[in-house]
Amino acid sequence: MYLTLVDILLITSIVQSLALSAFLLLPETFRVVSNRLLAASVLTFAAGLAEVFLYSTGLALEHPNLAYLGTLIGLLQVSLLYLYAKSLMYRDFRLVPGHAIHSLLFWVISAIFVVEYYLQPGEVKLQILMSRDHPGVLASPLLAVAIHLVFLGYLWATIRELGSFGTTLRQLFSNLESKQLAWLRTLLIGYACVWTVSLFYCLFAHIYKDLVSATAVSAAGAISGFLFINYLLINALRQPSIFSGLSTDEVQLAESEAPGRPGQRGERRAAAPP
């Protein structure tokens, strides 16, 4: 099989994602909730890149049962990033059964794909793949828009939470100079831009099927994926100084300090990231 530069870039990003996940799942790092959430998020990201790789190399047509698996697993990524951000911001954060609600999108879309695609005969699967000709393109444009809006909603909520977190830190620590978690906010803003472009692409892909080639889509996915995982690698593991998260008492203290009501502001030592 001949590999193009796009394919090599995709493989590189997938390997980097798997290596980062493996590191985060080592015994000494696995115990930290944020590390487990980041590992899970990176694995879902790798699955999405694998979906693009299957289409770029033509392997999706040779193994139709593998098609769309990466897209479905990738549906979990944005909610995992939301929980990851929460785990970094708040020291008392713990995973609870109620957090399973964030996987609802995955289960709903998976059920649709089981009926629409996976239960179909092999010949029908091939016809579906050849007719769509782009990674992860769904039959219903309304469903595709709904998924994009959910993703963008999660990203907006996460960015908003990070903004509130920064305000809380400034309320509590008057001498704080470094912008805690600014790297994650920047990453998510960039990711939101990518999903906004993807939303318009999905709409045009249903109206003008030949407007953008599958090669161009694969190249865009490879480049954005490579930038995403490397930015994450550099910043998530090499932050010079970051707070280990606010406790419940500190959050309550910040909430009680409304603007114009000066409270007692303390100083807290910065801790290395888990």
Side-chain angles (χ1 to χ4, degrees), residues 29-112:
T29 54
F30 180 80
R31 59 185 177 83
V32 181
V33 175
S34 59
N35 286 342
R36 297 201 297 271
L37 287 169
L38 180 57
S41 180
V42 171
L43 286 174
T44 60
F45 182 71
L49 291 178
E51 176 82 23
V52 179
F53 179 78
L54 286 176
Y55 274 81
S56 177
T57 58
L59 289 173
L61 294 176
E62 296 180 19
H63 306 281
N65 289 329
L66 297 180
Y68 294 113
L69 288 179
T71 295
L72 295 176
I73 296 174
L75 294 175
L76 294 168
Q77 185 191 13
V78 73
S79 57
L80 287 169
L81 283 173
Y82 172 77
L83 295 175
Y84 170 65
K86 298 275 281 189
S87 70
L88 289 181
M89 290 185 285
Y90 305 111
R91 193 192 319 156
D92 301 328
F93 178 86
R94 297 291 183 273
L95 288 173
V96 296
H99 287 141
I101 190 68
H102 295 293
S103 65
L104 182 61
L105 179 67
F106 166 78
W107 294 111
V108 171
I109 303 302
S110 294
I112 293 174

Side-chain angles (χ1 to χ4, degrees), residues 18 26 33 40 42 67 105 110-111 114 124 128 157 191 204-205 229 247 256:
L18 295 177
L26 291 174
V33 175
V42 171
L105 179 67
S110 294
V114 167
V124 175
I128 292 173
Y191 202 37
F204 281 110
I229 190 59
S247 66
S256 68

